[in-house]
Amino acid sequence: MKKKLNICTLLFLLQISVGIKAQNSQPLINSTLNGTVIDQVTNQPIPGVNVQIKGTTHNAITDLDGKFYFQTGQIFPYTLVISYIGYVTQEHIATNAFVQISLKEDIKELDELVIIGYGSTTKKDYTGAAETVSSTALKSTQRTLESALQGSVAGVNVTQTSGQPGAGLSIRIRGGSSIQGGNEPLYVIDGFPIYNSDVTSGVLSGTPTNPLSSINPADIESITVLKDASSTAIYGSRGANGVVIITTKKGSSNLLTVNYDFTLGQQEVREKIDVLDATGYANLRNAALFDANPALGTNQYLSAAQIAQLGKGVDWQAEAFQKGITQNHQLSISGGNNQTKYAVSGNYFNQEGIIKNTGFERLSGRVNLTSKLTSKSRFGVNLTLAETTSKVAPSGLITSLLVMPPTATIYEPDGSYTLRNPFENIFANPIATLNERQNEAVSNRVLGTVYGEYDIFKNLVFKVSFGLDKISNQEKSYLPASIYEGSITNGEGKIGNATSRTWLNENTLTYSKLFAEKHNLNVLVGYTQQNSVREFVTAGSQQFVNDVTGYNNLQSGSVALMPTSGESQWALNSYLSRVNYNYDSKYYFTASLRADGSSRFGKDNKWGYFPSVALAWQVNKEDFFAPVSDVINSLKLRTSYGATGNQEIGEYQSLSTLTSVKYLFGDQIYTGFTPTRIANNDLGWELTNQFDAGLDVGFFNDKLNLTVDVYRKTTKDLLLDVQIPYTSGYTSSLQNFGSVQNQGIEFGLNTSLGNTNFSWTSNFNIAFNDNKIIALGNGAEFYTFGNYILQVGQPLGTFYGAVTDGILQTADIATKGKFTGNAAPKAGDRLYKDINGDGTFTTAADRTTIGNAQPDFNFGFTNNFTYKDFELAILINGSIGNDILNGNAQALELYNGQQNASKSALDAWTPTNPSTTTPRAKLDPAPIFSNRFVEDGSFVRIKNITFSYNLPKRISEKLRLTAVKFRIIGENPFTFTDYSGYDPEVTSGSNISPGTDTGIYPASKTISGGLNIIL
């Protein structure tokens, strides 16, 4: 009782004292301040921002509308300090009763999060070599996600395989390692591993649609490229070519946000190739005919008077090319609360090709949902639905446009199509092909994952996920009888269906614990299984009554084509584990091990084991670093070593196989089977061992960041078709032989400068890679493949051909004629060097290496400038030192008068024009591949320029909108190169023959305008 009385007495006295103090010192209020904090780019309010009056303890937190309020004794003006996670802390001087403050995203802080295999970490805690694509690069493309990698990440070389809308790109991370296996990276989309291979039935003529084109780039939140073995070994048998991890946009706990984005543009061919007009061609044909038979005179094709009447003739390129319209519509809705977050989006993209009747259309939708079911359990869904339609340029079209004589006509006098080149070389009328041939593909894709997480204990999380990736592709082709290709069969229709179904199950346990405030441990173990089935079926017929129904009525063709069908499948079972440990955020250790069992390999070699280890040292945490910490605020050294594999060889390669054949016995046709492959029970993975050493340095409070990596990766047990004795009944067998090495150095430099009104962020990267073949197996030193050679000590993509040595002149026929390669040399023939020194030139004996497709280095430079409401983004990329086999130039320099030719033919050798560089016209030349057609493919390109204007907040509010942005975009506006083809950023062919430019759909340049509205 006494104790309670004492407490009451104490409270009474305290209350009196407070009352006396209140009477003697009333609070002084000199100003009130209302304010709003918004995002500098989106103009959306930001809740939870801390606003403090500088020099005092007086602070406020913004509400859900981004608003805050002060009632203070401070007298205007005074300084506010505004801070929030993910944004740059800034100071603002308040001069009156209302203030609106725009916060800028802290690019450095946002990029701190690194998405890695089966988890995430912070950049400062990461021991491997991984790089995140900048947000500027992500926003620069609306076509395919791979194009965001061009020039964005050091060590990633992205080359266009075709300018065809919807076509894919060739991507090499730290060089190509495989000769016959896959060289493309593994893509992981929201946790689902995908190797981007075509799903096609083979009916379509031309470039297949890229499966990744079904993914809407606007849905992507981040792209992280894993490059070293420490990063990729967790993906085991599929990590040798690098891993590209893609996460899509998720919802947030903020209020409902509706975002609409619209872009409309026009694209055109970057430049045309100069060929002869009708007058030049007629003179060339006359010269070729005269060279073959001088007795018939100089004007065997057309007389001088007739040539004078020709004019320019038909410009086949101009007839085929157009200015194509592109449009993109994106609508997204996101929001949520503390329990459930959602993001829903829809996209419509339509790109007309720069060649008539070609194009690509995408209609897609995405739903991402995460929900906190209980305090210990979480649930999530990621789902993409997409349909794409591609109108594809048929194979050989570009070559036909270039070589079709300008004196030929598109139409005959009766209005029907001119079917083909009227001279000796046979190729179809390309305009008739474009106008009349039906050649398209429609693809539907469902890609989804569903996962659940449960906290077994405080530090132990169990996660299980299931995924499905289903692609259904229908290809349709019809050749009407009205064009050359269909006239032979009186119409030909084909339909093909190809389906790919892949399911995935992953189960992981993750344990995370901080011991004694300095020992940080993270352990991951898991089991995954993946299975994929592919099927295809084709049907077709010929000899149609008419062309009205096309491929929609195959039964109206009186001759049925042989139907085809097939199925293949593969399965992969895997066990994985990883340990991350760091002591006091200073010393780091990472180790991982994955075991993969693949159905693709021999029965005695199904399982492969892929370990890795990495170490890192945060040097700036040491006491001795203090004297330089004002300049160098962070310094991390790291190194890693590990093994990864490559299983991309197709299915059933280790098994003996049979194929069906037709044979005639008596007067009947029978079906039988014949062996096609010998079994190899020991067939296994290509194994890549990689060493990496790197450093990360931050200067001036991370306003300048430098990353350097040195690496060497060696791939052994290459999957090669090796010659075996004919007595076996086979010519070759797929075996593990040979080795390829890539080694190089990468530099990345990031800057972030500016103040409240102006900012400049940039990313510069440059990478040098040396690729070479170490061994080919069986003691072989080289193999030749057409215009390429695989040779020990040389890089993949080495060109192999003759070396030119001028033009044979009349006075030198007796002494130099034996170096033309012709049995009866004539003045005007091209001369070639005698490589083997036997006193003569022959194509077979006098070839040598004449260049290679590997660049000395490639680079990218991304800049983003902001000034008040204006933004300017510029992306530059380039490749230096790579060669290109210009197959178009080789075709155009035949000078045979049977097809069109390059304008260089105007300088062809004649007795009155004894050229030393350009050979004579001749009716039947023997094409010789030489260094004449291997060109320097180096280039520097301004890939993207985007200028944006954000409508001031006061105006957008009057329109009852949260934010409005206008922009103008230029894609590929300027390219600086000496390459004479359509575009230097191009490649076709296999791993053996990269850097080939023959008949590839040209690249385009685009100008467009856009509008972004946030409700």
Side-chain angles (χ1 to χ4, degrees), residues 595-855:
D596 279 334
S598 174
S599 64
R600 294 186 175 185
F601 295 102
K603 66 178 184 179
D604 297 332
N605 207 4
K606 292 289 188 187
W607 285 89
Y609 302 91
F610 306 95
S612 75
V613 63
L615 300 171
W617 176 26
Q618 200 76 37
V619 183
N620 58 286
K621 296 280 187 178
E622 303 291 354
D623 294 338
F624 64 76
F625 198 80
V628 297
S629 60
D630 290 340
V631 177
I632 305 175
N633 56 281
S634 66
L635 172 61
K636 181 170 69 175
L637 303 178
R638 49 186 168 76
T639 185
S640 67
Y641 184 81
T644 49
N646 185 0
Q647 67 159 9
E648 296 304 325
I649 60 168
E651 295 78 33
Y652 313 128
Q653 297 295 310
S654 67
L655 304 177
S656 58
T657 56
L658 302 173
T659 188
S660 61
V661 293
K662 303 294 182 182
Y663 65 95
L664 184 65
F665 187 76
D667 58 353
Q668 297 292 322
I669 297 177
Y670 294 89
T671 300
F673 290 88
T674 182
T676 55
R677 182 183 298 122
I678 191 171
N680 182 356
N681 294 333
D682 294 320
L683 189 69
W685 283 273
E686 293 182 344
L687 186 66
T688 297
N689 295 309
Q690 182 174 183
F691 167 79
D692 183 280
L695 63 87
D696 303 310
V697 191
F699 300 90
F700 312 113
N701 197 27
D702 283 339
K703 287 183 171 59
L704 179 69
N705 290 276
L706 173 68
T707 298
V708 181
D709 276 277
V710 179
Y711 64 89
R712 173 180 287 181
K713 66 174 187 176
T714 303
T715 303
K716 63 180 183 178
D717 297 332
L718 292 178
L719 297 161
L720 293 175
D721 276 316
V722 178
Q723 291 183 352
I724 59 178
Y726 284 99
T727 53
S728 67
Y730 303 89
T731 58
S732 64
S733 171
L734 187 65
Q735 299 182 26
N736 292 106
F737 273 110
S739 178
V740 169
Q741 184 183 89
N742 287 276
Q743 59 183 3
I745 185 169
E746 301 165 351
F747 298 91
L749 186 65
N750 298 304
T751 62
S752 179
L753 303 171
N755 51 40
T756 303
N757 290 326
F758 174 79
S759 68
W760 170 39
T761 59
S762 69
N763 172 278
F764 176 77
N765 65 80
I766 187 169
F768 301 82
N769 183 71
D770 179 43
N771 172 279
K772 65 180 177 180
I773 298 171
I774 303 299
L776 288 171
N778 278 350
E781 287 296 317
F782 67 91
Y783 293 103
T784 59
F785 297 86
N787 298 326
Y788 290 81
I789 185 171
L790 294 176
Q791 186 173 16
V792 174
Q794 294 292 332
L796 294 172
T798 296
F799 303 116
Y800 191 58
V803 179
T804 59
D805 197 24
I807 303 298
L808 181 66
Q809 304 299 322
T810 304
D812 300 325
I813 293 177
T815 56
K816 294 185 177 180
K818 55 190 174 181
F819 301 119
T820 64
N822 298 324
K826 291 178 63 174
D829 286 340
R830 194 180 293 282
L831 292 168
Y832 300 94
K833 289 187 177 181
D834 175 17
I835 300 298
N836 66 358
D838 64 356
T840 187
F841 171 81
T842 59
T843 304
D846 291 303
R847 292 190 293 173
T848 187
T849 57
I850 53 175
N852 71 81
Q854 302 288 342

Side-chain angles (χ1 to χ4, degrees), residues 33 52-53 68 70 78-82 90-92 94 101:
L33 177 66
Q52 182 177 6
I53 299 176
F68 65 91
F70 278 120
Y78 47 83
T79 301
L80 302 175
V81 180
I82 306 96
Q90 70 175 61
E91 295 185 357
H92 186 93
I101 300 165

Side-chain angles (χ1 to χ4, degrees), residues 550-573:
Y551 49 68
N552 291 314
N553 192 14
L554 295 180
Q555 63 269 28
S556 65
S558 59
V559 177
L561 299 175
M562 182 67 66
T564 62
S565 64
E567 178 185 294
S568 63
Q569 60 179 303
W570 59 266
L572 187 71
N573 285 352

Side-chain angles (χ1 to χ4, degrees), residues 52-59 70 72 74 79:
Q52 182 177 6
I53 299 176
K54 189 174 183 179
T56 74
T57 58
H58 200 176
N59 72 307
F70 278 120
T72 177
Q74 301 294 316
T79 301

